[in-house]
Amino acid sequence: APRADDGHAPTLRIGDVATVQRRNTQHGAALQENVLLLDRPAHRGGDIVLVSTKNVFAPGASFGAYSATKAAAHQLARIASLEFAPLGVRVNAIAPGYITTGLTEPLWRDSEFDAWVTKRCPLGRWGTPEDIGWPAVFLASPAADYVTGQTLFVDGGWLAR
């Protein structure tokens, strides 16, 4: 079977894309519905931080459905920032690299894949949930009051290569 640069066989299937798309893009419709409720002077302002992925610009062949649907959050942050700016709502996204979570546990427990990630990542390690949490706090804080429509890549330098 053909192999991607990460050593995994391609897995992109229509059914997978549909399932992952529902999971990763439903927040778009919910976001618009909820923010439109803010169109009242007493409820103006706020911050929305979406979660995208570094795969927006560095996709893995065996993560096609995930990469494609998470790219929607990257674009949604840009579009929603324009639509919601008049309401005082800032919209940004965080794009993590490889993070040690329950979802990625099969990957970081795979010694070959773990070695590939740690060798490829300039910081030489997987990220942690805390590595994502602090940038989210920043984007939702007054320190980022002039930041909207942006995607902050928190990937240990992955995209710098």
Side-chain angles (χ1 to χ4, degrees):
R3 296 284 177 189
D5 66 345
D6 63 7
H8 287 78
T11 59
L12 187 60
R13 293 178 184 86
I14 296 299
D16 294 339
V17 172
T19 299
V20 176
Q21 183 179 26
R22 273 193 305 278
R23 183 182 327 127
N24 287 338
T25 59
Q26 278 181 339
H27 62 271
L31 170 70
Q32 290 182 352
E33 289 175 10
N34 289 318
V35 172
L36 290 176
L37 295 175
L38 298 175
D39 197 11
R40 296 179 299 226
H43 294 93
R44 296 181 79 77
D47 304 297
I48 297 169
V49 180
L50 304 173
V51 179
S52 182
T53 177
K54 62 98 181 143
N55 292 6
V56 168
F57 293 117
S62 40
F63 303 104
Y66 176 82
S67 300
T69 59
K70 282 297 198 173
H74 168 73
Q75 191 63 17
L76 181 60
R78 297 180 64 168
I79 294 165
S81 72
L82 298 173
E83 292 183 3
F84 302 147
L87 301 174
V89 176
R90 296 182 305 105
V91 184
N92 292 291
I94 292 177
Y98 287 101
I99 306 298
T100 56
T101 66
L103 182 65
T104 62
E105 185 172 1
L107 299 175
W108 51 264
R109 289 213 183 269
D110 177 328
S111 60
E112 288 182 33
F113 194 82
D114 175 62
W116 179 79
V117 169
T118 55
K119 181 180 178 185
R120 173 90 168 67
C121 180
L123 290 183
R125 66 177 180 87
W126 287 67
T128 65
E130 292 78 15
D131 290 326
I132 302 306
W134 288 115
V137 168
F138 163 71
L139 288 173
S141 77
D145 274 352
Y146 200 60
V147 179
T148 194
Q150 303 302 307
T151 297
L152 178 58
F153 290 86
V154 183
D155 64 0
W158 194 278
L159 293 179
R161 289 193 178 263

